[in-house]
Amino acid sequence: MKRIILILNILSVCYLINAQALEKTYGNKFFSLNYPDNWEIVQEDNRATSNVNISVQVMEKKVNNVDFLPNVNIIKSAQKRTETTSYLATMTLNQIKNMLPNMRIKGTNDITISGCKGTVAEYECTYNGYSLHFYQYIIKKADNNTFTITCTIDNNKLKSQKRIIDAIVASLKIK
């Protein structure tokens, strides 16, 4: 029994050492999230298109003119969607495939974030010379308010950047 407790303590310490520290917090009346000190808010309540308003976009701070900057953006839908999140994910993937013909769909899965059920779509593409990997989470509250969380990372740094975006997404609290 003592061995098991010792092993669990060692694993906990290793996890904390490898965990990404999320020192900063962003919040509005719909949600809040935490993000690392070396990231920044680059958009807040900006209209992307006539129908899409980006609630927030957080991005790693620029360190050079070469590296792709991983980012997370959250869109709260203006309307309450009645379609399932899996349908919305499939519809979104089809729209993206039309815009980015070299997009490769990796798959979709059911997820739960901040107590809200949803679907995550994973896909890759090459854009502006970067090999990119996307995770797009579509979640709905019980009242059908819908949130789309899009995470974009450099495919060449998938493992390290995925840990960071996973931590950011896990910190999301839907109000």
Side-chain angles (χ1 to χ4, degrees), residues 81-153:
R81 306 299 304 224
T82 57
E83 303 91 345
T84 65
T85 58
S86 60
Y87 174 81
L88 293 171
T90 300
M91 191 172 74
T92 299
L93 287 172
N94 289 336
Q95 291 171 345
I96 294 168
K97 185 77 172 160
N98 288 332
M99 294 183 328
L100 302 169
N102 69 347
M103 191 245 308
R104 295 166 306 284
I105 298 171
K106 305 293 279 180
T108 60
N109 289 300
D110 294 335
I111 49 99
T112 301
I113 298 173
S114 186
C116 299
K117 300 257 184 234
T119 302
V120 59
E122 181 181 358
Y123 54 98
E124 300 175 328
C125 76
T126 302
Y127 186 74
N128 284 342
Y130 293 105
S131 176
L132 301 177
H133 204 104
F134 298 84
Y135 295 90
Q136 189 162 53
Y137 304 86
I138 300 172
I139 59 172
K140 289 173 66 172
K141 290 178 58 175
D143 66 2
N144 283 331
N145 273 302
T146 305
F147 296 82
T148 303
I149 303 108
T150 304
C151 306
T152 310
I153 56 181

Side-chain angles (χ1 to χ4, degrees), residues 50-70:
S50 59
N51 296 324
V52 176
N53 192 37
I54 296 174
S55 297
V56 70
Q57 181 177 27
V58 293
M59 178 180 287
E60 185 177 56
K61 291 179 182 176
K62 186 175 180 178
V63 292
N64 60 46
N65 291 327
V66 179
D67 289 338
F68 177 81
L69 301 174

Side-chain angles (χ1 to χ4, degrees), residues 14 28 33 150 161:
C14 290
N28 63 24
L33 62 83
T150 304
Q161 291 181 357

